Each structure stands twice: as C-alpha cells, then as structure tokens.
Amino acid sequence: MLTESTRNPQAAVHRATIDAGDYWIWRLREGETLRITDLEGNQAADTLFFNADNTAERYSVTDTLRGQRNVFLTTGSVLRSSDDRPMLEIVADTCGRHDTLGGACSCESNTVRYDLEKRHMHACRDSWMLAVAQHPEYGLTRRDITHNVNFFMNVPVTRDGGLTFADGISAPGKYVELVARMNILVLISNCPQLNNPCNGYNPTPIDVAVW
C-alpha cells in the first residue's frame, strides 16, 4: 500500500549514501525510524535485521509471512523475529511492495544461475561477510547471515509457486520507512548484481536516514 511520510529528511539524526556493492551497518534504538531511499530507481537493497541486544534473535521470513498472510511487504507489514516477536513495522512506502523470498546473491548462486565465469563477480553475501570482518564489535559471524528482505526488488510468484526475477517497480526517490519495535542491528548490502533485472543491469546508490 502506497503511503507517504511526513518526516523531514533535514531533521534526521543520521544520513548516509551507500554505493552499489557497499554495505551499511547501524544500531537502531527502539522507537527510531529508518528510511531507505532508492535514489536512481530499479535498485535492490538486501537487508538483514537482528535484535541488537541478542543477535541470536533475527528476522524470520517464515514468521513474518505467516503473521501477515502475504508474501510481499509494504505499509503495515510487521517484520517478525525468529522468536516470533515484532522487530520493525513498515509505516511508509512509496514503492508498493518489497521481496523477502528471493534471498541474496552469492558467488555460489551466481555460478548456479548464470555461469561458472560469473562466480567471482561481487555479491551481497560478500558485502555482509566484509561487514562481519570489519565490525567484530557486533559479534556477528557468517552463521548469522540468514533470512533477508530485498527492499525495492521485484520477485513475482508464478501460478505454480515458482519465483522469477523481473524489472523493478521502483523509481528515483521511492522510499520505505520502518519503525523499530526493539533495539535493532541493521546490515544492508546495496546489491551489485549485474546478471538479472533486479538492478536494471546497472546498480546505483541508495540513501539511508534515521530519526
């Protein structure tokens, strides 16, 4: 559901631009709001969420989809944890829907989906692994890279229950806003994928803001 925000970006307590292929890690306090903006359109922001006070509790696609009875995320969606507790709620969305089924690209998936020569192309899992290595203070390991949300990504579900990657439905300046319902550790990989339409074959920057 399309819903605009009344928040003023100039009043944000933190703002950053994340280049394609780069990552962003941040601790949100309960009650704070995160906005992710697709600056140039047709980009995908692969995002992991953890309970910042106990990272063994993290975003769960199964609990989230069961709770909301919808395979796509938009305004009103409550992102639930592996303990089936509310983690965040989408309170504004000018894109319309977001994927949480397609997973994240990796060297292995590049090989299986595309070609052996694509294996060493940069992928979201690489960005997350780099963040884990460069920020040991958060206590994450490779085993913590599990379910993720693909903001702005278009992954239609076929009539027989399959998934397809399609052109994005976002556009320049589209955004999604989430309010933290507990202390949250956010880890975003701004997807560098060049082999399917999720980024329009041209990965671009995104913007993040926190209130």
Side-chain angles (χ1 to χ4, degrees):
M1 182 173 63
L2 299 178
T3 310
E4 294 190 1
S5 171
T6 59
R7 292 177 177 81
N8 179 2
Q10 304 304 317
V13 297
H14 175 77
R15 293 191 68 179
T17 298
I18 311 169
D19 292 331
D22 204 355
Y23 72 83
W24 180 76
I25 189 167
W26 191 261
R27 192 180 192 275
L28 286 177
R29 291 177 295 181
E30 182 178 357
E32 289 187 324
T33 299
L34 168 67
R35 178 188 292 184
I36 306 171
T37 302
D38 187 357
L39 292 176
E40 298 183 32
N42 217 29
Q43 180 58 14
D46 292 34
T47 308
L48 298 167
F49 296 108
F50 304 89
N51 177 344
D53 301 317
N54 175 19
T55 55
E57 182 180 12
R58 74 286 305 274
Y59 170 71
S60 167
V61 60
T62 51
D63 290 289
T64 297
L65 299 192
R66 183 178 63 247
Q68 71 165 2
R69 298 174 181 267
N70 194 320
V71 298
F72 299 112
L73 306 177
T74 187
T75 306
S77 295
V78 176
L79 280 60
R80 304 191 71 85
S81 76
S82 51
D83 289 344
D84 199 20
R85 298 199 301 152
M87 297 189 77
L88 305 102
E89 180 179 354
I90 298 178
V91 293
D93 180 17
T94 61
C95 176
R97 72 182 194 193
H98 307 270
D99 167 66
T100 189
L101 297 176
C105 56
S106 65
C107 290
E108 292 77 12
S109 65
N110 282 342
T111 302
V112 171
R113 289 172 177 165
Y114 310 114
D115 195 282
L116 181 61
E117 68 180 20
K118 308 292 188 182
R119 174 178 175 80
H120 300 292
M121 296 183 73
H122 189 65
C124 283
R125 187 174 177 88
D126 292 338
S127 295
W128 288 333
M129 290 299 296
L130 182 62
V132 167
Q134 292 183 338
H135 293 278
E137 66 271 23
Y138 294 115
L140 299 176
T141 72
R142 63 188 302 168
R143 296 181 66 182
D144 294 306
I145 298 175
T146 58
H147 299 162
N148 70 285
V149 179
N150 298 307
F151 290 109
F152 311 114
M153 189 169 168
N154 186 22
V155 184
V157 179
T158 65
R159 292 177 64 88
D160 60 359
L163 302 178
T164 58
F165 294 99
D167 288 336
I169 58 175
S170 186
K174 298 289 187 181
Y175 60 81
V176 58
E177 278 186 7
L178 305 97
V179 173
R181 298 305 185 200
M182 63 173 68
N183 294 330
I184 295 289
L185 181 63
V186 184
L187 177 52
I188 296 176
S189 167
N190 191 22
C191 185
Q193 183 58 253
L194 291 166
N195 298 295
N196 69 53
C198 70
N199 295 330
Y201 305 103
N202 178 37
T204 53
I206 61 171
D207 182 84
V208 290
V210 176
W211 289 264

